Amino acid sequence: MPADAASLRILPVRIELAAEKQFCALTIANDDVNPATVQVRGFGWRKDGGGNDLLDPDTGPMVNPSIVSIPAGETRLIRCGLPPKSGSREESYRLVIDELPTSTAAPGTVRTLLRVSIPLFRAPSGAAPLLRWSVHMGAKGATLSLINQGDRHIQGTAVNLRLANGSTRAVKLDKGFYLLADGRIPLPIGPLDGSSIAGVEIETTRGALIASRASSDQ
């Protein structure tokens, strides 16, 4: 059965603001031959100890308009207002854009509604990540914990382990990941233990970063 989805273009797909900024905007273009209706919501964003996203609607940006209809071939501007800046650490948010159903699908087709989640960051000048690592043994093998004790996030693409025997092993990831300020992410590493690892390098969208070993399990 064929699937049908609206052709929406959203720019930008990632937003970074300076500490003194409180407003941002994005554009949504409808390249489909049919009109589209979208809902845009703002959330505060953090991760739990397992690296899972936690979204809080009460601490997210205000969005205007939150629901908008976009005729075929047209573009709409969406504005967002952030809460007043508080603290010296980077703030992380998500703008979640959902296509809303507008009509019944044609016979023999399935209408696929789009969802896009855009990361939004506001960081003080000079903010930087500070990466640590530790290894924890469990019933299913070892887990490498990546810890960001700094005040700015990283967007990781790969993790390379320098082993004590002089070789290098890459930890395979299904997809890239965000390690938020004051956050952590666990990565299974199988039969390796802490004594087998001499160093950890994280490849990011801004270049490679070296993580230091944590002084104790954290």
Side-chain angles (χ1 to χ4, degrees):
M1 185 175 294
D4 183 26
S7 298
L8 298 177
R9 287 183 294 113
I10 302 168
L11 290 174
V13 294
R14 172 189 170 102
I15 301 173
E16 295 199 42
L17 300 177
E20 68 276 9
K21 301 296 184 181
Q22 197 171 345
F23 301 99
C24 64
L26 57 88
T27 59
I28 304 177
N30 180 14
D31 293 335
D32 204 286
V33 297
N34 299 307
T37 299
V38 298
Q39 179 181 38
V40 186
R41 293 171 292 162
F43 296 88
W45 174 34
R46 61 186 181 89
K47 290 178 176 285
D48 64 16
N52 302 302
D53 288 336
L54 299 176
L55 300 180
D56 183 0
D58 295 331
T59 60
M62 298 294 293
V63 176
N64 184 34
S66 58
I67 297 180
V68 60
S69 295
I70 310 174
E74 295 193 14
T75 299
R76 292 294 183 265
L77 180 69
I78 307 295
R79 295 179 174 87
C80 58
L82 278 64
K85 175 66 180 173
S86 61
S88 59
R89 181 171 286 130
E90 178 184 66
E91 301 166 2
S92 52
Y93 304 95
R94 283 272 177 179
L95 297 176
V96 178
I97 303 166
D98 288 300
E99 181 192 2
L100 302 180
T102 56
S103 62
T104 303
T109 67
V110 173
R111 177 70 174 177
T112 303
L113 300 178
L114 300 181
R115 165 169 285 190
V116 179
S117 180
I118 295 177
L120 192 165
F121 301 98
R122 180 169 59 179
S125 176
L130 179 63
L131 305 181
R132 300 279 190 261
W133 65 272
S134 61
V135 174
H136 306 269
M137 300 302 299
K140 296 183 179 181
T143 297
L144 175 74
S145 288
L146 298 179
I147 308 155
N148 184 1
Q149 296 179 337
D151 46 21
R152 190 180 184 92
H153 77 281
I154 66 166
Q155 185 177 357
T157 58
V159 177
N160 297 311
L161 306 181
R162 182 166 53 85
L163 303 184
N165 62 11
S167 64
T168 299
R169 174 181 171 182
V171 178
K172 299 299 183 182
L173 304 173
D174 292 335
K175 58 183 179 181
F177 62 92
Y178 281 99
L179 180 52
L180 302 180
D182 196 32
R184 69 168 61 213
I185 289 181
L187 297 172
I189 54 175
L192 296 176
D193 57 27
S195 62
S196 304
I197 302 173
V200 175
E201 178 188 77
I202 304 170
E203 297 179 19
T204 79
T205 53
R206 301 189 178 204
L209 296 175
I210 302 297
S212 301
R213 186 160 196 162
S215 57
S216 60
D217 288 347
Q218 302 183 44

CSV table of all heavy atoms in Angstrom, one decimal, residues 50-76:
chain,number,residue,atom,x,y,z
A,50,GLY,N,20.1,7.2,31.7
A,50,GLY,CA,20.2,6.3,30.6
A,50,GLY,C,20.4,6.9,29.2
A,50,GLY,O,20.4,6.2,28.2
A,51,GLY,N,20.4,8.2,29.2
A,51,GLY,CA,20.6,8.9,27.9
A,51,GLY,C,19.3,9.1,27.1
A,51,GLY,O,19.3,9.5,26.0
A,52,ASN,N,18.2,8.9,27.8
A,52,ASN,CA,16.9,9.0,27.1
A,52,ASN,C,16.4,10.5,27.2
A,52,ASN,O,16.6,11.2,28.3
A,52,ASN,CB,15.8,8.1,27.8
A,52,ASN,CG,16.2,6.7,27.7
A,52,ASN,OD1,16.4,6.1,26.6
A,52,ASN,ND2,16.3,6.0,28.9
A,53,ASP,N,15.7,11.0,26.2
A,53,ASP,CA,15.3,12.4,26.2
A,53,ASP,C,14.1,12.6,27.2
A,53,ASP,O,13.2,11.7,27.2
A,53,ASP,CB,14.8,12.8,24.8
A,53,ASP,CG,16.0,13.0,23.8
A,53,ASP,OD1,17.1,13.2,24.3
A,53,ASP,OD2,15.8,12.8,22.6
A,54,LEU,N,14.2,13.7,27.9
A,54,LEU,CA,13.1,14.1,28.8
A,54,LEU,C,12.6,15.5,28.3
A,54,LEU,O,13.4,16.4,28.3
A,54,LEU,CB,13.5,14.1,30.2
A,54,LEU,CG,14.0,12.7,30.8
A,54,LEU,CD1,14.5,12.9,32.2
A,54,LEU,CD2,12.9,11.7,30.8
A,55,LEU,N,11.4,15.6,27.9
A,55,LEU,CA,10.8,16.9,27.4
A,55,LEU,C,9.8,17.4,28.4
A,55,LEU,O,8.9,16.7,28.8
A,55,LEU,CB,10.2,16.7,26.1
A,55,LEU,CG,11.1,16.2,25.0
A,55,LEU,CD1,10.3,16.0,23.7
A,55,LEU,CD2,12.3,17.0,24.8
A,56,ASP,N,10.0,18.7,28.8
A,56,ASP,CA,9.1,19.4,29.8
A,56,ASP,C,8.4,20.5,29.1
A,56,ASP,O,9.1,21.6,28.8
A,56,ASP,CB,10.0,19.8,31.0
A,56,ASP,CG,9.1,20.5,32.1
A,56,ASP,OD1,7.9,20.5,31.9
A,56,ASP,OD2,9.7,20.9,33.1
A,57,PRO,N,7.1,20.5,28.9
A,57,PRO,CA,6.4,21.6,28.3
A,57,PRO,C,6.3,22.8,29.1
A,57,PRO,O,6.1,23.9,28.6
A,57,PRO,CB,5.0,21.0,28.0
A,57,PRO,CG,4.8,19.9,29.0
A,57,PRO,CD,6.2,19.3,29.2
A,58,ASP,N,6.5,22.7,30.4
A,58,ASP,CA,6.4,23.8,31.3
A,58,ASP,C,7.6,24.7,31.3
A,58,ASP,O,7.5,25.9,31.7
A,58,ASP,CB,6.1,23.3,32.8
A,58,ASP,CG,4.8,22.6,32.9
A,58,ASP,OD1,3.9,23.0,32.2
A,58,ASP,OD2,4.7,21.7,33.8
A,59,THR,N,8.7,24.2,30.9
A,59,THR,CA,9.9,25.1,30.8
A,59,THR,C,10.4,25.4,29.4
A,59,THR,O,11.5,25.9,29.2
A,59,THR,CB,11.1,24.4,31.6
A,59,THR,OG1,11.3,23.1,31.0
A,59,THR,CG2,10.7,24.1,33.0
A,60,GLY,N,9.6,25.1,28.4
A,60,GLY,CA,10.0,25.3,27.0
A,60,GLY,C,9.7,26.7,26.5
A,60,GLY,O,9.0,27.5,27.2
A,61,PRO,N,10.2,27.0,25.3
A,61,PRO,CA,9.9,28.3,24.7
A,61,PRO,C,8.4,28.5,24.4
A,61,PRO,O,7.7,27.5,24.1
A,61,PRO,CB,10.7,28.3,23.4
A,61,PRO,CG,11.7,27.2,23.6
A,61,PRO,CD,11.0,26.2,24.5
A,62,MET,N,8.0,29.7,24.4
A,62,MET,CA,6.6,30.1,23.9
A,62,MET,C,6.7,30.2,22.4
A,62,MET,O,7.6,30.7,21.8
A,62,MET,CB,6.2,31.4,24.5
A,62,MET,CG,6.0,31.4,26.0
A,62,MET,SD,4.7,30.3,26.6
A,62,MET,CE,3.3,31.1,26.0
A,63,VAL,N,5.7,29.6,21.7
A,63,VAL,CA,5.7,29.6,20.2
A,63,VAL,C,4.5,30.3,19.7
A,63,VAL,O,3.4,30.2,20.2
A,63,VAL,CB,5.6,28.1,19.8
A,63,VAL,CG1,5.5,28.1,18.2
A,63,VAL,CG2,6.9,27.4,20.2
A,64,ASN,N,4.7,31.1,18.6
A,64,ASN,CA,3.6,31.9,18.0
A,64,ASN,C,3.8,32.0,16.5
A,64,ASN,O,4.8,32.4,16.0
A,64,ASN,CB,3.6,33.3,18.6
A,64,ASN,CG,2.4,34.2,18.1
A,64,ASN,OD1,1.4,33.6,17.8
A,64,ASN,ND2,2.7,35.4,17.8
A,65,PRO,N,2.8,31.5,15.7
A,65,PRO,CA,1.6,30.8,16.2
A,65,PRO,C,2.0,29.3,16.5
A,65,PRO,O,2.9,28.8,15.9
A,65,PRO,CB,0.7,30.9,15.0
A,65,PRO,CG,1.6,30.9,13.8
A,65,PRO,CD,2.8,31.7,14.3
A,66,SER,N,1.2,28.7,17.4
A,66,SER,CA,1.5,27.3,17.7
A,66,SER,C,0.8,26.4,16.8
A,66,SER,O,1.3,25.2,16.6
A,66,SER,CB,1.0,27.1,19.2
A,66,SER,OG,-0.4,27.3,19.3
A,67,ILE,N,-0.3,26.8,16.1
A,67,ILE,CA,-0.9,26.0,15.0
A,67,ILE,C,-1.1,26.9,13.8
A,67,ILE,O,-1.6,28.0,13.9
A,67,ILE,CB,-2.2,25.4,15.5
A,67,ILE,CG1,-2.1,24.5,16.7
A,67,ILE,CG2,-2.9,24.7,14.3
A,67,ILE,CD1,-3.4,23.9,17.2
A,68,VAL,N,-0.6,26.4,12.7
A,68,VAL,CA,-0.7,27.3,11.5
A,68,VAL,C,-1.0,26.4,10.3
A,68,VAL,O,-0.6,25.3,10.1
A,68,VAL,CB,0.7,28.0,11.3
A,68,VAL,CG1,1.8,27.0,11.1
A,68,VAL,CG2,0.6,28.9,10.1
A,69,SER,N,-1.9,27.0,9.4
A,69,SER,CA,-2.2,26.3,8.1
A,69,SER,C,-1.3,26.9,7.0
A,69,SER,O,-1.2,28.2,7.0
A,69,SER,CB,-3.7,26.5,7.8
A,69,SER,OG,-4.5,25.8,8.7
A,70,ILE,N,-0.7,26.1,6.2
A,70,ILE,CA,0.2,26.6,5.1
A,70,ILE,C,-0.4,26.1,3.8
A,70,ILE,O,-0.4,24.9,3.5
A,70,ILE,CB,1.6,26.0,5.3
A,70,ILE,CG1,2.1,26.2,6.8
A,70,ILE,CG2,2.6,26.7,4.4
A,70,ILE,CD1,3.4,25.6,7.1
A,71,PRO,N,-0.9,27.1,3.0
A,71,PRO,CA,-1.3,26.7,1.6
A,71,PRO,C,-0.2,26.1,0.8
A,71,PRO,O,1.0,26.3,1.1
A,71,PRO,CB,-1.8,28.0,1.0
A,71,PRO,CG,-2.1,28.9,2.2
A,71,PRO,CD,-1.1,28.5,3.3
A,72,ALA,N,-0.6,25.4,-0.2
A,72,ALA,CA,0.4,24.8,-1.1
A,72,ALA,C,1.3,25.8,-1.7
A,72,ALA,O,0.9,26.9,-2.2
A,72,ALA,CB,-0.4,24.0,-2.3
A,73,GLY,N,2.6,25.5,-1.7
A,73,GLY,CA,3.6,26.4,-2.2
A,73,GLY,C,3.9,27.6,-1.4
A,73,GLY,O,4.7,28.5,-1.9
A,74,GLU,N,3.4,27.8,-0.2
A,74,GLU,CA,3.7,29.0,0.6
A,74,GLU,C,4.5,28.6,1.8
A,74,GLU,O,4.8,27.5,2.2
A,74,GLU,CB,2.4,29.6,1.0
A,74,GLU,CG,1.6,30.1,-0.2
A,74,GLU,CD,0.4,31.1,0.3
A,74,GLU,OE1,0.4,31.5,1.4
A,74,GLU,OE2,-0.4,31.3,-0.6
A,75,THR,N,5.0,29.7,2.5
A,75,THR,CA,5.9,29.6,3.6
A,75,THR,C,5.3,30.4,4.8
A,75,THR,O,4.7,31.5,4.6
A,75,THR,CB,7.3,30.1,3.3
A,75,THR,OG1,7.8,29.4,2.2
A,75,THR,CG2,8.2,30.1,4.4
A,76,ARG,N,5.5,29.9,6.0
A,76,ARG,CA,5.1,30.6,7.2
A,76,ARG,C,6.3,30.8,8.2
A,76,ARG,O,7.1,29.9,8.3
A,76,ARG,CB,3.9,29.9,7.9
A,76,ARG,CG,2.6,29.9,7.1
A,76,ARG,CD,2.1,31.3,7.0
A,76,ARG,NE,0.8,31.3,6.3
A,76,ARG,CZ,0.7,31.6,5.0
A,76,ARG,NH1,1.7,31.8,4.2
A,76,ARG,NH2,-0.6,31.6,4.4
